[in-house]
Amino acid sequence: MSHDFFSFFLAWMSAPGRVGAIAPSSPALAELITSEITAGSGPIIELGPGTGAFTYQLLKRGIRQEDLTLIEYGSDFMKLLQVRFPGARVLWMDAARMAAQPLYDGAPVGAVISGLPLLNMSMRKVVSILNGAFSYIRPGGAFYQFTYGMTCPVSPRVLDRLGLKAKLIDRAILNVPPAAVYRLTRRPQSKFFAGNVALPQAEPLRLQMDQPT
């Protein structure tokens, strides 16, 4: 879809810090970031779907449109997504406000797929996004994030304080630019003992969410 490149480029020109890329993700990256998704993974939340490169691949993996919630901040992308995926729930909102929105009753979500440029965001905003996402992710579910950086875009400090762990799935060398995909999951709940004394675990990081920009 050549017009997707043009739409993406215009969005990047108007807000490079928010879009974070000048072109839609390649099929290679879309296949990689959805590689662990099955028909039983739904419902699924996608953050920053843009023109829907990952969304199309989710459908190929067996996810129904009715089991997709697409959260997009760009108004032009949102209109395009509504046309391309009429059965999905498309929300025009800041992903950092997920925790404040009643997206689901409980935590039924099997995966969150993120195309957000976390490296361009403040730590406070990243924490808000992850807190919101994991409030809906069921036990055993995962948060999938791609990055153009050399390491995980979520810092070790944030992972530690939120009780999360990150694992590199692989790199999409054919993507332009090359990208890596990480899987974020909850750490097992465990206690460490020194004799008969239980050492307390770190308290979760509590930060107020940024206002939409």
Side-chain angles (χ1 to χ4, degrees):
M1 300 179 184
S2 59
H3 61 283
D4 281 3
F5 179 90
F6 185 67
S7 299
F8 224 96
F9 182 74
L10 290 179
W12 177 81
M13 287 288 291
S14 63
R18 191 180 72 229
V19 177
I22 64 172
S25 298
S26 69
L29 180 54
E31 289 181 8
L32 179 57
I33 201 169
T34 62
S35 60
E36 298 183 347
I37 301 300
T38 67
S41 300
I44 286 178
I45 296 174
E46 187 179 352
L47 307 179
T51 58
F54 297 164
T55 317
Y56 281 119
Q57 193 63 36
L58 288 170
L59 298 180
K60 290 182 180 179
R61 300 286 185 189
I63 303 299
R64 303 182 309 154
Q65 288 197 33
E66 292 75 14
D67 286 334
L68 288 173
T69 293
L70 311 179
I71 296 178
E72 177 57 58
Y73 196 82
S75 59
D76 291 338
F77 287 150
M78 184 200 68
K79 296 172 185 175
L80 181 63
L81 292 167
Q82 288 176 325
V83 171
R84 289 185 172 175
F85 310 103
R89 175 169 55 167
V90 182
L91 302 178
W92 184 20
M93 60 177 284
D94 186 342
R97 302 191 63 83
M98 278 189 292
Q101 304 295 326
L103 300 183
Y104 292 96
D105 182 12
V109 173
V112 173
I113 307 293
S114 173
L116 299 176
L118 297 188
L119 290 177
N120 294 347
M121 299 178 181
S122 68
M123 184 181 72
R124 178 174 298 182
K125 189 152 192 169
V126 172
V127 167
S128 296
I129 290 168
L130 291 175
N131 267 330
F134 275 93
S135 71
Y136 296 113
I137 296 175
R138 62 182 179 247
F143 183 105
Y144 296 92
Q145 176 70 46
F146 86 88
T147 180
Y148 299 128
M150 297 302 296
T151 60
C152 180
V154 182
S155 71
R157 181 189 173 201
V158 171
L159 291 172
D160 288 344
R161 299 303 294 270
L162 294 179
L164 303 175
K165 61 181 179 179
K167 180 177 176 59
L168 173 66
I169 295 179
D170 206 346
R171 299 184 184 275
I173 304 300
L174 297 180
N175 194 70
V176 181
V181 173
Y182 287 83
R183 181 203 313 119
L184 276 60
T185 53
R186 296 181 179 91
R187 295 179 183 176
Q189 295 298 315
S190 60
K191 295 182 179 180
F192 301 91
F193 293 87
N196 294 323
V197 180
L199 299 179
Q201 298 184 31
E203 294 183 0
L205 186 63
R206 292 185 175 87
L207 297 172
Q208 292 182 345
M209 287 187 290
D210 289 349
Q211 294 297 317
T213 56

